[in-house]
Amino acid sequence: MANGRIVLGIESSCDETGAGLVRDGRLLGHAVASSMDEHARFGGVVPEIAARAHVHSFNPVVRQALEQAGLGMADIDAVAVTTGPGLSGALQVGVAGAKGLAYSLGVPLYGVHHLAGHVAADTLEHGPLPNPCMVLIVSGGHTSLLLVRDLVRDPIVHLGDTLDDAAGECFDKVARVFGLPYPGGPAIDRAAREGDPRAVPFPRPLTGPRDDPYAFSFSGLKTAAARWAEHHREQTLPVADGAASLQEAVADVLTRKAVAACRDHGVATLVVVGGVAANSRVRSLAEERCAAAGITLRVPPLRLCTDNGAMIAAVGDLLVRADAAPAPLDVSIDPSAPLEYAALHPKAAVPATRAA
């Protein structure tokens, strides 16, 4: 494929239905529909509700993205879609819709790893990623330190991942204990503005001299916060101080390990992506520590930190420009796919035949 092709990206891995259009690294338009309000009363995402919401939102978000870009269906040259990881039913809706569009338009289809989409989201704001760069992915389900070279040509090297709860998961669970609404990340961030980040000496997990320097663990921090709240059960809980102290602990661990990884591997650029990259303290502490270490920091704008179709289109655009092979139209999903390459083209399992 020659350059200048318009790629439609579809994202439906969790509770956001997203569509985005990218050409040569430039975002032309995108739209997102969230079912978050429908999940809030349950305190977390309900897979069946999410899948149903994707069915209702798929066509409208595609139309909105096209209208924003001033384009029509006939202008689409390729379709990219999240094939994993994520909620099985939610992924199936997006993949089925993307297949239908690709087939009806006669254009190639590309399967994309959801986390690679988060990495590529930064390119829509700051241009091509340096080769190499260090990437810190922080979201509700993932916390990883990655060494990235060419995002769509080279394997992605995992330096460290979370051993249990991800940072965003920690925020969500502690927010519930603190009596804050779902989603917990934004609620913790808002409450922390009025609190003292030094009020509660929460632990910094896996930061000792004998610990894995790049691994993460937030389960113990979550438990420490829950116990602290329990100790205040007979009195008014100082939520603002607890939120500020929790947020400081998470931001401290994330940025400390990320800057250390850059230093240890001689990498001059740190890219922080994912939903938790929208957290104000994570962003400000990353800025402080990167400036002190002489490291260039790149963080996508807030609208591209959470799940969206633009980030999937960004990967598709890179794959198209790299002349990567498209996915077959029988491509399936992989809800627990590890991040190894940006393209993800799993095959559907073949049912076993019954013996005669």
Side-chain angles (χ1 to χ4, degrees), residues 199-282:
V200 188
F202 286 136
R204 270 55 171 170
L206 294 183
T207 56
R210 295 177 181 240
D211 292 321
D212 186 327
Y214 310 131
F216 299 95
S217 170
F218 293 103
S219 178
L221 177 58
K222 172 196 67 180
T223 301
R227 287 177 176 168
W228 173 79
E230 177 67 17
H231 290 157
H232 289 80
R233 67 184 182 278
E234 303 298 334
Q235 53 191 290
T236 301
L237 181 68
V239 172
D241 285 346
S245 299
L246 176 75
Q247 182 172 265
E248 188 68 21
V250 171
D252 182 19
V253 172
L254 291 173
T255 57
R256 187 189 310 189
K257 288 176 175 277
V259 170
C262 290
R263 182 184 61 246
D264 296 346
H265 289 80
V267 175
T269 300
L270 172 64
V271 184
V272 183
V273 299
V276 179
N279 179 271
S280 62
R281 186 53 180 155
V282 170

Side-chain angles (χ1 to χ4, degrees), residues 256-335:
R256 187 189 310 189
K257 288 176 175 277
V259 170
C262 290
R263 182 184 61 246
D264 296 346
H265 289 80
V267 175
T269 300
L270 172 64
V271 184
V272 183
V273 299
V276 179
N279 179 271
S280 62
R281 186 53 180 155
V282 170
R283 295 170 83 97
S284 65
L285 191 54
E287 288 171 3
E288 293 171 25
R289 289 183 165 169
C290 284
I295 296 167
T296 299
L297 175 66
R298 293 175 39 153
V299 188
L302 296 181
R303 73 184 191 283
L304 295 178
C305 285
T306 52
D307 294 350
N308 61 85
M311 69 187 198
I312 304 305
V315 178
D317 174 62
L318 291 172
L319 290 167
V320 165
R321 289 191 279 156
D323 290 324
L329 276 179
D330 64 349
V331 65
S332 185
I333 63 167
D334 186 346

Side-chain angles (χ1 to χ4, degrees), residues 90 95 100 161 187 307 352:
V95 169
D161 298 284
D307 294 350

